Amino acid sequence: MSVCDFSLDHVRSIAPYQPGKPIAELARELGLEESGIVKLASNENPLGPSPKGLKAAQDSLKEISLYPDGAGFTLKSALCRKFNVTQQNIVLGNGSNDVLDMAARAFLGANTSAVYAQHAFAVYPIATLTVGAKGIEVPAINYGHDLAAMRGAIRDDTRVVWIANPNNPTGTFLSWTEIEAFLKDVPSHVLVVLDEAYGEYLPPVERFNTVSWLSRYPNLLIVRTFSKAYGLAGLRVGYGLGHPDVIDLLNRVRHPFNVNLPALAAAEAALSDEDFLEQSYRVNQSGMKQLQLGLDALGIKHVPSRGNFLLAKVGDAARLNKELLKRGVIVRPVGNYGLPEFLRVSIGLEAQNARFLDALKACL
Ligand SMILES: *Cc1c(COP(=O)(O)O)cnc(C)c1O
């Protein structure tokens, strides 16, 4: 008899999150220099961190003997100014995953269910199952969310619907008109979590201020992150925007001091780093074109993506992934997302994208 025999059934049913392979790990395995490895596996910003964010994090280090501000007042103040909301509309997270987890712990549990799409972000089933709720996975349509089917899947015991727009790992995008129609249609007792981790990568014509919906839909929780376009993935900071009553509930389950001191400082500074955001967007646009053209030239199909990554249909993805690793290129196999024929490739700098395309060509 082992202690694990008494662990919770619903915990044993969780498929662990599979992160991208760290550069240092592959370097050790191959006996290579880390500089010889290209990692396009975790949708990180290839430009590095926002310089303003980096400077603020560095300057904050002399204060790390102190606890951070548990309420995150100055970061929230900056968010208030940017989005024209109040402190009561904001919850801060140790990465936006932390906010997703808070939503699960506040609204889900035994005898409740949550709805999410097939091929949607892996944290939605993890957060749902962790608290003993039932996960209802709705088949995808063209690799993306089928909102009509998701509406149909909502049951009396459904408390949360998870939506990523754009979605990871597929890069699919729903128009804001479709999302608002869904919000209008969803029963008001169901929390709609709208995860906009890649919103900053949308072309300007497709950007929409979803924050303007908060006054109309008190059951909407918008979740955003500093991990992608702001380049602060390693610091772990994200936030949720919602109705004050929803935010109050999330704050009750939030761990004290969940966002660390350098992260608070960096996020506040990065928020006003418009130049960096613009540069991140442009590098992503050109890298996306480069990868699309490169894949086209190799006769490899890909799913149209609005994120900073691309899903390429390579066939035997497990084999190709191994071959790419041998050549020092780390991408993300997505068999665990029900997509065994695909590799997800994050958009890198021009030379990194070229390195991936060359390696892929050599493996085919
Ligand atoms: C990367 C990503 C996040 C961000 O996670 P953090 O915890 O903020 O680093 C959230 N949602 C989706 C869909 C993502 O792909």
Side-chain angles (χ1 to χ4, degrees), residues 184-245:
K184 278 202 180 107
D185 199 24
V186 161
S188 58
H189 69 273
V190 175
L191 182 74
V192 178
V193 179
L194 182 59
D195 182 345
E196 300 184 345
Y198 301 97
E200 294 86 359
Y201 290 106
L202 290 173
V205 292
E206 278 175 342
R207 288 179 205 167
F208 176 78
N209 178 22
T210 51
V211 180
S212 68
W213 287 338
L214 288 179
S215 55
R216 248 171 303 154
Y217 306 104
N219 58 331
L220 171 65
L221 178 67
I222 298 167
V223 181
R224 294 184 184 160
T225 183
F226 288 94
S227 294
K228 308 287 159 54
Y230 292 96
L232 302 178
L235 282 177
R236 314 304 302 125
V237 50
Y239 56 98
L241 302 173
H243 188 280
D245 294 347

Side-chain angles (χ1 to χ4, degrees), residues 51 53 70 80 88-89 103 129 139 174 180-181 233 259 282 291 298 339:
C80 288
Q88 286 68 39
N89 291 115
L129 298 177
L174 298 158
E180 188 169 16
V259 185
R282 277 190 277 110
L291 280 184
L298 296 173
L339 296 161

Side-chain angles (χ1 to χ4, degrees), residues 51-74:
K52 284 190 174 181
L54 175 62
K55 168 88 170 49
Q58 284 167 335
D59 291 347
S60 79
L61 290 178
K62 55 189 180 300
E63 286 166 43
I64 57 171
S65 60
L66 304 174
Y67 279 101
D69 172 5
F73 180 81
T74 58

Side-chain angles (χ1 to χ4, degrees), residues 43 94-98 100 121 124 164 166-168 195 197-198 224-228 233 236-238:
N43 302 344
N94 187 278
S96 58
N97 280 287
D98 188 27
L100 302 175
F121 188 40
Y124 309 151
N167 182 46
N168 169 24
D195 182 345
Y198 301 97
R224 294 184 184 160
T225 183
F226 288 94
S227 294
K228 308 287 159 54
R236 314 304 302 125
V237 50

